[in-house]
Amino acid sequence: MEKEILNNSIDRSWIEKWNSPFTISGPCSAESEEQVIETAQRLDPAYVQVFRAGIWKPRTKPNNFEGVGKKGLQWLKNVKRKTGLMTATEIANSEHVKLALSFDIDVLWIGARSTSSPFIVQEIADSLEGKKDKVILVKNPIHPDIELWIGALERLFKKGVRKLGVIHRGFYTYQASKYRNQPNWNLLSKFRSFFPRIPVICDPSHICGNKEGIFSISKIAYHFKYDGLMIECHCNPDKAWSDSQQQITPEKLLELLKQLIDSSKSKESKSENNQIQKNLDSLRIFIDELDENIIALLAERMKISKQLGTLKKGSDVSILQPNRWVEIMNKSIKLGKNLGLSEELLKGVFKLLHKESIKIQNRM
Ligand code: PEP
Ligand code: MN
């Protein structure tokens, strides 16, 4: 399908009627009616438009809390009646869709694990046929596979869904990282250049996996003019049954949102608000994330050097292996040159890496 057709047909009315930042908040999981109602009532409706709570929870391993199921839908309905907030939950099959619709849930989202499965997405799309008024948000798939994400949007679009949006919740990385899910801001910027009209909501909670990083990720989302935020919030975060490390209290959320609005206002009033400065800031965000990755890779490489050192120490293999060193250097220069890097850079970097690796092995 032409990306342009999808982009031009998106109905943005559901999000444009709110002032930014449009905010979805609530607990990772609904646990009890009291927890759901208390959290919702402590949210400030001037700052939060949609109350979220997971009813069916996709857990990595079995024997964890997998959500309260259907009974939680009535709790969400009660939240709407008591607070006037719209409600949102994750759906992962056609039965979930049917039940969520029967309890008048306003926003349905497809979770990262489900977006990764074309069969699941197709089943959900089929069950949404004719339900034109529902807002459907599609989280990015676990892995940074943009085409799979776009494919999910196309499946929904083909069944008539127009109130579509996406949630950026970051991508799985095997590398040690300060994030639970790496944001990959550069990739998102590419995705958004294909679909400038699709509302994008940032989910700093699942990107960070902790409370501390939520503000700085939200600030970046604000810088990139995302359409909204989804932040997990719990009346008693330390006691949460899932994702307890990353949930904040409703009061903390309000503080964070106010701070975010203030900091963007003060930025706007300064001269740094010109377009060149903004573009520079964007590129620096991409560079910072790449640097974090480079550092993580260096740490990983040096760990393996240590293992080499241990092995060599236990045998009579000498630490310095000139043939292997020449081989690494030649291979790396060739690879790097194919990617447009200069020989000077490659030689410099690999000489340093080699020197450090020898030092580490000698120390053992
Ligand atoms: C969630 O929002 O609670 C959730 C399970 O998210 P994700 O699909 O991004 O892991
Ligand atoms: Mn969660």
Side-chain angles (χ1 to χ4, degrees):
M1 180 190 287
E2 287 291 325
K3 293 186 174 67
E4 218 174 307
I5 298 177
L6 200 157
N7 180 59
N8 291 337
S9 316
I10 293 294
D11 178 353
R12 290 179 52 89
S13 60
W14 62 275
I15 197 158
E16 277 179 347
K17 64 178 177 196
W18 304 98
N19 288 333
S20 73
F22 176 83
T23 307
I24 302 173
S25 188
C28 178
S29 307
E31 298 162 8
S32 67
E33 178 155 23
E34 296 69 39
Q35 168 250 7
V36 165
I37 300 285
E38 185 186 338
T39 306
Q41 286 181 330
R42 279 166 56 187
L43 290 169
D44 186 335
Y47 288 83
V48 176
Q49 288 74 38
V50 183
F51 181 78
R52 65 151 280 159
I55 298 293
W56 299 283
K57 300 301 299 177
R59 306 307 296 269
T60 304
K61 300 256 173 70
N63 306 324
N64 280 316
F65 169 61
E66 291 186 324
V68 294
K70 187 180 164 189
K71 66 178 177 206
L73 293 170
Q74 183 60 48
W75 306 343
L76 285 179
K77 209 170 170 184
N78 296 346
V79 163
K80 180 150 53 172
R81 185 170 46 79
K82 289 190 177 174
T83 64
L85 292 169
M86 290 188 284
T87 51
T89 201
E90 171 173 350
I91 39 91
N93 60 40
S94 57
E95 184 63 17
H96 295 167
V97 172
K98 200 172 90 196
L99 284 168
L101 294 181
S102 73
F103 282 84
D104 205 21
I105 304 294
D106 303 285
V107 176
L108 309 182
W109 84 80
I110 300 182
R113 290 155 194 81
S114 303
T115 309
S116 306
S117 163
F119 288 130
I120 294 278
V121 175
Q122 191 59 52
E123 178 182 322
I124 293 171
D126 291 343
S127 64
L128 283 166
E129 187 153 21
K131 311 281 186 310
K132 277 199 158 53
D133 276 334
K134 281 293 151 189
V135 175
I136 312 295
L137 304 178
V138 184
K139 285 204 174 195
N140 66 255
I142 299 265
H143 303 99
D145 182 345
I146 283 219
E147 289 304 318
L148 199 55
W149 199 5
I150 297 174
L153 296 171
E154 288 181 2
R155 286 175 201 277
L156 293 160
F157 184 82
K158 279 182 149 182
K159 294 291 172 177
V161 180
R162 294 292 177 271
K163 292 183 178 171
L164 264 179
V166 296
I167 302 175
H168 172 209
R169 52 79 81 194
F171 303 90
Y172 174 79
T173 168
Y174 174 68
Q175 265 171 250
S177 164
K178 68 175 187 181
Y179 306 106
R180 177 177 178 191
N181 293 291
Q182 204 161 293
N184 222 327
W185 295 109
N186 194 10
L187 190 72
L188 257 290
S189 141
K190 258 180 224 153
F191 175 87
R192 294 180 73 206
S193 69
F194 296 145
F195 302 106
R197 296 190 64 257
I198 292 195
V200 189
I201 290 171
C202 183
D203 173 351
S205 307
H206 289 89
I207 290 179
C208 298
N210 60 50
K211 307 180 201 328
E212 296 71 31
I214 294 178
F215 180 70
S216 62
I217 294 293
S218 306
K219 224 170 133 184
I220 296 178
Y222 219 92
H223 163 82
F224 283 119
K225 296 198 182 318
Y226 276 37
D227 299 273
L229 295 168
M230 181 193 252
I231 298 179
E232 282 185 345
C233 200
H234 192 290
C235 55
N236 190 354
D238 294 340
K239 293 272 155 58
W241 296 0
S242 59
D243 285 352
S244 105
Q245 330 78 288
Q246 70 193 31
Q247 300 198 63
I248 55 177
T249 60
E251 295 71 29
K252 188 81 200 152
L253 174 79
L254 183 61
E255 205 181 290
L256 184 148
L257 292 173
K258 284 184 174 166
Q259 222 180 321
L260 201 60
I261 294 166
D262 281 352
S263 81
S264 83
K265 269 191 199 145
S266 79
K267 222 175 167 187
E268 258 160 42
S269 65
K270 286 186 197 149
S271 56
E272 67 190 55
N273 189 39
N274 67 52
Q275 199 51 46
I276 294 182
Q277 186 59 46
K278 276 189 178 158
N279 293 347
L280 274 177
D281 288 346
S282 302
L283 293 177
R284 285 181 178 146
I285 290 166
F286 300 159
I287 292 268
D288 286 350
E289 192 176 347
L290 287 172
D291 285 348
E292 287 161 9
N293 289 343
I294 292 172
I295 291 168
L297 281 174
L298 286 177
E300 191 85 8
R301 196 185 194 282
M302 292 311 155
K303 249 191 235 162
I304 299 195
S305 290
K306 261 192 199 159
Q307 290 175 9
L308 276 176
T310 314
L311 262 181
K312 288 178 184 171
K313 202 176 148 195
S315 64
D316 54 2
V317 181
S318 70
I319 287 182
L320 186 64
Q321 299 270 325
N323 291 346
R324 169 73 181 147
W325 163 231
V326 171
E327 184 197 320
I328 289 184
M329 195 54 132
N330 290 341
K331 210 168 52 177
S332 306
I333 289 175
K334 194 169 160 209
L335 190 68
K337 274 184 160 175
N338 283 341
L339 296 174
L341 299 174
S342 77
E343 187 163 336
E344 191 189 355
L345 171 72
L346 294 157
K347 271 193 176 152
V349 167
F350 278 89
K351 263 188 196 158
L352 271 179
L353 285 180
H354 187 244
K355 205 168 135 194
E356 182 69 13
S357 172
I358 297 289
K359 206 156 92 189
I360 286 175
Q361 295 180 46
N362 271 326
R363 237 190 266 141
M364 308 223 35

